[in-house]
Amino acid sequence: MIAGLPPLQWLVTFRAVMEAGSFVGAARLLNLTPSAISHQMRALEGRLGRPLFVRARRTVIPNEDALAYSASISESFAQIITATSRVAAGAGVRRLPIHSSPSFATLWLMPRLGAFMRQNRDIDVALFASHEPAKLGEDGFLIDIQYARSVPDACEGIILADELVMPLASPAFIAEYGLSRFSDISRVPLIHSTRSVVQWEQWLARHAPGIALSARGMQSDRSYLALTAAIDGLGLVLESSLHAADYLRLGQLVMPFGPIGIPVAAHRLVYRREDRANQEVTAFINWLIPTMKADRARSLEPVNRHDPAP
């Protein structure tokens, strides 16, 4: 029994008495004897420490405490009925709870999730996003799409894509700053994605050693914020081709030096081994992998890009 809560049967009986207006009427509603009804109401009054009814011969009249108590618990009963109906209505509904890194969820998954749901109309998706990985098996998630994390024990991971982390900028920004050479990186505002697996220092060390970083620029711990800032012309950003795929396709961002970057495989889809045969997990994987391959094929098509000057 929950501490402080009278037995639920007493409360059901009390509500029946209030509805029927008598112990006899409540007995008919609940298929009990009037004496059983009377016994339960005596017990409830004992628990409450005060009477609820004025008893006169064969009639009972609820007092003010009974009326107030009935009004208070009626709302709770209504909530129980509503919750029960909602759960019962969902019986047989297939649900897929997914956790994802925030930028992947915002930049790649959400724009395409409708296609999965149209192909799997009997599956309801619950999508949550945060930097911290999900604790599969403990927090209710069946799938976690992680960024730069190791695969937990008892889980399996699928690498989602080969990404290229490279400099990107808006066409307007390139025109404004006359961006054409690697050496320009030292004089234009930069945007730093602080959670990216590749930072500006690493990119310069590989592709433009000896060039100093610009002291100007902004920082962000979300790729979608960094990319939005780049689209708005606030700087030259170093970001993933996976995150920026749609912006590149639309021409909102371009590669000022061409596809010169550092390849990474940072995103993984993770699930528990015991969920390998789960129908919802299988359906999502069978949609996600071909969709990502098709996206990659499109990304290899010619896009608006600039070649660096010598």
Side-chain angles (χ1 to χ4, degrees):
M1 184 191 307
I2 300 175
L5 181 68
L8 184 59
Q9 183 57 53
W10 295 0
L11 300 180
V12 171
T13 300
F14 171 68
R15 289 290 299 129
V17 171
M18 297 299 293
E19 180 180 337
S22 68
F23 288 178
V24 172
R28 293 195 190 99
L29 289 174
L30 300 178
N31 197 27
L32 296 173
T33 64
S35 61
I37 300 294
S38 178
H39 177 75
Q40 289 187 36
M41 291 304 90
R42 289 288 187 189
L44 179 60
E45 289 173 322
R47 170 64 68 86
L48 296 174
R50 62 185 62 200
L52 294 173
F53 303 99
V54 176
R55 293 165 174 82
R57 296 185 180 179
R58 296 187 177 184
T59 63
V60 290
I61 302 172
N63 59 24
E64 291 185 4
D65 286 333
L67 295 173
Y69 191 45
S70 178
S72 297
I73 68 173
S74 291
E75 182 177 348
S76 298
F77 271 91
Q79 290 176 345
I80 292 172
I81 292 170
T82 300
T84 301
S85 299
R86 184 170 62 248
V87 172
V93 174
R94 300 169 63 191
R95 302 189 187 279
L96 177 58
I98 301 172
H99 179 271
S100 173
S101 60
S103 290
F104 181 85
T106 302
L107 294 169
W108 194 93
L109 184 55
M110 274 306 302
R112 296 161 178 81
L113 192 58
F116 169 77
M117 298 181 72
R118 284 189 292 272
Q119 292 177 24
N120 299 270
R121 296 185 181 276
D122 57 340
I123 298 178
D124 285 346
V125 173
L127 177 61
F128 295 80
S130 67
H131 280 307
E132 292 303 313
K135 297 178 180 178
L136 298 178
E138 297 180 21
D139 50 18
F141 293 109
L142 289 176
I143 286 174
D144 190 14
I145 299 175
Q146 301 178 347
Y147 179 73
R149 301 276 186 178
S150 58
V151 178
D153 294 338
C155 291
E156 295 180 352
I158 300 173
I159 295 176
L160 294 186
D162 294 323
E163 309 168 43
L164 193 65
V165 180
M166 55 190 173
L168 303 169
S170 70
F173 179 87
I174 293 171
E176 178 183 357
Y177 285 89
L179 185 61
S180 62
R181 303 173 183 270
F182 287 162
S183 58
D184 293 334
I185 294 174
S186 63
R187 67 175 179 83
V188 302
L190 301 179
I191 299 171
H192 298 266
S193 288
T194 59
R195 290 183 179 269
S196 174
V197 293
V198 178
Q199 296 296 314
W200 272 111
E201 293 83 357
Q202 296 166 269
W203 189 91
L204 285 174
R206 178 172 298 191
H207 296 294
I211 293 178
L213 281 175
S214 170
R216 300 174 56 202
M218 63 171 289
Q219 296 182 344
S220 175
D221 69 342
R222 299 286 196 277
S223 291
Y224 59 84
L225 295 179
L227 288 166
T228 300
I231 291 170
D232 289 342
L234 301 184
L236 178 66
V237 70
L238 188 68
E239 257 298 341
S240 161
S241 57
L242 177 62
H243 285 158
D246 290 342
Y247 299 140
L248 287 166
R249 200 169 293 126
L250 293 171
Q252 294 175 291
L253 292 175
V254 297
M255 298 175 278
F257 312 126
I260 299 176
I262 295 179
V264 298
H267 286 91
R268 286 182 175 83
L269 183 148
V270 177
Y271 59 90
R272 293 187 301 167
R273 290 189 185 93
E274 63 188 77
D275 292 328
R276 182 185 299 164
N278 180 283
Q279 293 182 352
E280 289 73 42
V281 171
T282 301
F284 186 76
I285 293 174
N286 289 343
W287 166 80
L288 181 65
I289 301 305
T291 301
M292 298 209 78
K293 287 182 177 178
D295 261 25
R296 176 161 176 75
R298 284 195 297 272
S299 72
L300 296 176
E301 298 172 356
V303 294
N304 184 15
R305 64 181 63 167
H306 293 244
D307 294 323

